[in-house]
Amino acid sequence: MNSLTDDWILILDFGSQYTQLIARRIRELNVYCEIHPFNTDPDTFKNHPPSGIILSGGPSSVYDDDAPELNLDYLELDLPVLGICYGLQSLAHAIHPGAVEKAEKREFGRATLLVDDNSDLLKDLESQSTVWMSHGDHIKDLPDSYRPIAHTSNAPVAAVRHNEKEIYGVQFHPEVVHTDEGKTIFKNFVDDICGCSRTWTAASFIETQIRDIRDQVGDENVLCALSGGVDSTVVATLLHKAIGNQLQCIFVDNGLLRKNEYQNVLNTYREHLNLPVKGVDASQEFLDNLNGVVDPEEKRKIIGSTFIDVFDREVLDEGKYTFLAQGTLYPDVIESISFKGPSATIKSHHNVGGLPEKMNLTLVEPVRELFKDEVRNVGRELGIPESFIGRHPFPGPGLGIRIIADITKERLVLLREADAIFIDALREHDLYDEVWQALAVLLPIQSVGVMGDERTYEFTIALRAVTSLDGMTADWAHLPYDFLSIVSNRIINEVKGINRVVYDVSSKPPSTIEWE
């Protein structure tokens, strides 16, 4: 549990794809929150109780055999509660004589909310507003102590409240942008009902983390692996501010970096950020270890274990270092557990795993509780140049998971050149800052083409660009056709070995941002 603030909101996750969005909306109000599985023991929080509890939505029906059930002990904590969609249904189902049933007309998409009681939770809402529904069940009977405070044409109970306690529920999803006044609902809950103070800011985070880092580290030395990305750079800058020359950074060229990335980033670290950085060129070692490997999970594990070998050889001399700093983010933590407990992991995260176990180091993860945009705000507060803060995310395994085949020097050259053309063109056309992440992927597909009068049989590049706030969800970026045409022509004309370019129009979910 975080020690940064006395006021915080607990979000119990019942499996909704929107749970992370709830957290984002609360954080946007400068209030700290954490997501925990629905079956977390309430005693977990007895030493630092939350100011309020939000019950997320979920894909289940309350009548499913394995449906997640609300632990009624949470209602005995005498804290404000807000149930969202399934969270509301779990309330109604758990408390006699409430009842939930299959709706005659399921509601998916926009609906008009008609407010019956505009006090407390629905204060300052218009009498009619658009909300986003996503449910097949609805509440048939409310428990005796509850009353409806809003409805829609299909749902007579669209929002409820307890007659005496600060317990509320909504059948719709206030966390999604399609709900016009969702931010007002969360503001009412957090500010007025829970009484939270808005102290969750970048400045307060830095102040508290510097103190916590000093308390954790003491007089010991810290090793920080720099990737060239925003996360590890913010971590290193924060640590340097906290402990000065007790920090040693290492930036490894793993042979999987973008074009000219190693030298450019190393210069930025040393000349502009004044970080103590040791550069290590281990590119051939990584490529040798990855020779012939196709499976993406195996690639990630090999890259991780090779990093350990490099650290062992280059910097871990005679137990000089006690701590290892990592740029683990909150989405990494969330995606590594499921609402039912340990998950079947979608992908192993480069910063969440067994790295310190073999190295016998204690982890320092100062941005573990932050989303990506929050890390950027902290970086700005620390004075890191905007040109660096605004850089697109780049995965720890680098181009290794953007070659959908075994990795060779020849394929890396093709991908590097195509990627550089794409990224440079985005900058030249003032589109770089319009997208959250852009990348090129080399596909293991060769196809027939014609260049001049000659037949070609060459590789395909897939371009991907997405818009997002934090990477938890993302939509494909609607880049102009003329721009895509320019990029395609340049790649095909300038990168010998590529004769076809395609554009990825998949969103997350169901797809992930990276292909592997």
Side-chain angles (χ1 to χ4, degrees):
M1 173 54 223
N2 182 271
S3 62
L4 300 181
T5 175
D6 291 332
D7 295 334
W8 68 286
I9 299 296
L10 168 63
I11 301 170
L12 292 177
D13 182 18
F14 287 83
S16 171
Q17 61 178 314
Y18 302 134
T19 300
Q20 293 82 12
L21 288 180
I22 300 173
R24 291 300 307 116
R25 299 297 171 254
I26 301 300
R27 299 276 185 96
E28 287 167 3
L29 294 168
N30 298 121
V31 175
Y32 182 70
C33 63
E34 287 188 1
I35 298 171
H36 290 269
F38 74 95
N39 52 6
T40 303
D41 190 328
D43 286 344
T44 304
F45 313 106
K46 64 181 179 181
N47 292 329
H48 195 166
S51 302
I53 301 170
I54 295 178
L55 313 176
S56 85
S60 302
S61 166
V62 293
Y63 296 109
D64 291 345
D65 290 339
D66 59 349
E69 296 182 8
L70 172 65
N71 184 339
L72 293 179
D73 288 346
Y74 278 106
L75 302 185
E76 300 302 317
L77 298 178
D78 197 27
L79 293 170
V81 176
L82 172 61
I84 295 176
C85 199
Y86 183 89
L88 167 59
Q89 294 170 10
S90 67
L91 271 170
H93 180 63
I95 302 172
H96 184 77
V100 176
E101 66 177 4
K102 292 290 183 185
E104 291 184 11
K105 291 181 67 175
R106 298 186 303 169
E107 284 192 301
F108 293 97
R110 289 178 174 84
T112 299
L113 182 74
L114 303 170
V115 176
D116 302 312
D117 179 351
N118 62 358
S119 62
D120 299 327
L121 186 68
L122 305 184
K123 187 182 74 171
D124 298 329
L125 262 67
E126 298 291 334
S127 59
Q128 298 186 24
S129 64
T130 299
V131 297
W132 185 261
M133 294 284 193
S134 181
H135 64 97
D137 294 350
H138 70 182
I139 295 174
K140 177 185 177 184
D141 297 309
L142 278 173
D144 292 340
S145 51
Y146 289 78
R147 70 176 189 271
I149 57 175
H151 66 281
T152 70
S153 58
N154 289 329
V157 180
V160 307
R161 71 152 299 165
H162 193 282
N163 289 326
E164 298 174 359
K165 299 180 180 180
E166 300 283 16
I167 302 177
Y168 302 83
V170 293
Q171 185 61 76
F172 53 90
H173 287 274
E175 66 271 28
V176 302
V177 295
H178 309 85
T179 295
D180 290 345
E181 298 184 284
K183 185 174 182 179
T184 301
I185 292 172
F186 283 122
K187 177 180 178 296
N188 290 339
F189 181 71
V190 167
D191 281 3
D192 299 338
I193 297 170
C194 297
C196 292
S197 57
R198 299 195 187 188
T199 56
W200 177 251
T201 64
S204 68
F205 174 85
I206 291 169
E207 180 182 351
T208 308
Q209 275 301 322
I210 286 175
R211 185 185 68 236
D212 289 351
I213 289 168
R214 289 171 178 167
D215 289 344
Q216 180 184 6
V217 170
D219 296 328
E220 303 295 331
N221 293 321
V222 180
L223 176 67
C224 180
L226 290 169
S227 68
V230 176
D231 307 332
S232 63
T233 302
V234 169
V235 166
T237 306
L238 186 59
L239 281 162
H240 196 229
K241 189 176 180 69
I243 59 173
N245 61 11
Q246 292 171 243
L247 173 69
Q248 175 62 59
C249 301
I250 180 169
F251 181 41
V252 176
D253 183 357
N254 59 6
L256 307 171
L257 301 175
R258 289 168 287 197
K259 187 176 181 180
N260 300 325
E261 178 88 347
Y262 179 62
Q263 199 57 54
N264 290 343
V265 170
L266 203 55
N267 290 340
T268 299
Y269 284 148
R270 289 171 172 169
E271 297 173 12
H272 297 286
L273 298 177
N274 298 314
L275 292 174
V277 183
K278 179 179 183 179
V280 178
D281 183 356
S283 54
Q284 190 59 53
E285 182 176 349
F286 278 86
L287 295 183
D288 288 345
N289 291 346
L290 288 165
N291 183 39
V293 177
V294 175
D295 180 75
E297 281 297 292
E298 190 176 352
K299 287 181 185 176
R300 289 172 182 266
K301 290 173 182 175
I302 290 172
I303 292 168
S305 63
T306 306
F307 266 117
I308 295 173
D309 293 339
V310 172
F311 289 156
D312 278 342
R313 184 175 64 249
E314 299 291 340
V315 296
L316 293 184
D317 55 340
E318 300 176 1
K320 179 179 178 181
Y321 299 97
T322 307
F323 294 91
L324 174 71
Q326 286 193 159
T328 307
L329 298 189
Y330 201 40
D332 300 337
V333 177
I334 294 169
E335 289 188 1
S336 296
I337 60 172
S338 75
F339 76 101
K340 290 186 177 181
S343 68
T345 307
I346 297 171
K347 299 183 217 179
S348 60
H349 285 279
H350 194 62
N351 283 337
V352 179
L355 188 59
E357 182 178 342
K358 178 179 176 182
M359 298 177 70
N360 195 29
L361 297 174
T362 301
L363 274 182
V364 179
E365 297 176 298
V367 297
R368 181 183 177 88
E369 291 137 347
L370 300 186
F371 288 93
K372 189 71 161 191
D373 55 319
E374 293 174 318
V375 173
R376 288 195 168 109
N377 289 336
V378 169
R380 293 184 181 99
E381 190 74 22
L382 288 168
I384 298 174
E386 187 63 36
S387 59
F388 207 96
I389 291 295
R391 282 161 57 90
H392 291 175
F394 189 66
L399 301 182
I401 56 170
R402 293 179 181 176
I403 294 175
I404 315 301
D406 58 312
I407 301 166
T408 65
K409 283 187 176 180
E410 293 74 21
R411 286 172 177 161
L412 282 166
V413 169
L414 294 180
L415 181 55
R416 275 199 190 95
E417 293 299 324
D419 178 79
I421 290 170
F422 187 26
I423 299 302
D424 289 347
L426 285 167
R427 296 189 187 278
E428 291 167 7
H429 290 79
D430 295 323
L431 292 169
Y432 185 85
D433 294 332
E434 299 298 315
V435 301
W436 193 78
Q437 185 175 0
L439 57 122
V441 181
L442 182 65
L443 304 185
I445 299 170
Q446 290 177 276
S447 62
V448 174
V450 177
M451 291 186 179
D453 293 327
E454 295 185 3
R455 175 187 182 274
T456 62
Y457 191 61
E458 297 178 335
F459 286 102
T460 300
I461 284 285
L463 302 179
R464 181 141 170 80
V466 298
T467 56
S468 179
L469 277 177
D470 48 45
M472 299 302 296
T473 61
D475 191 14
W476 62 277
H478 295 237
L479 297 176
Y481 293 152
D482 290 347
F483 169 78
L484 291 173
S485 177
I486 291 169
V487 173
S488 175
N489 287 338
R490 281 196 57 191
I491 291 174
I492 291 172
N493 288 331
E494 297 176 29
V495 185
K496 184 174 176 56
I498 303 295
N499 70 352
R500 194 175 299 274
V501 175
V502 299
Y503 188 58
D504 183 347
V505 293
S506 310
S507 296
K508 176 187 179 181
S511 301
T512 53
I513 296 175
E514 298 285 350
W515 278 42
E516 288 192 342

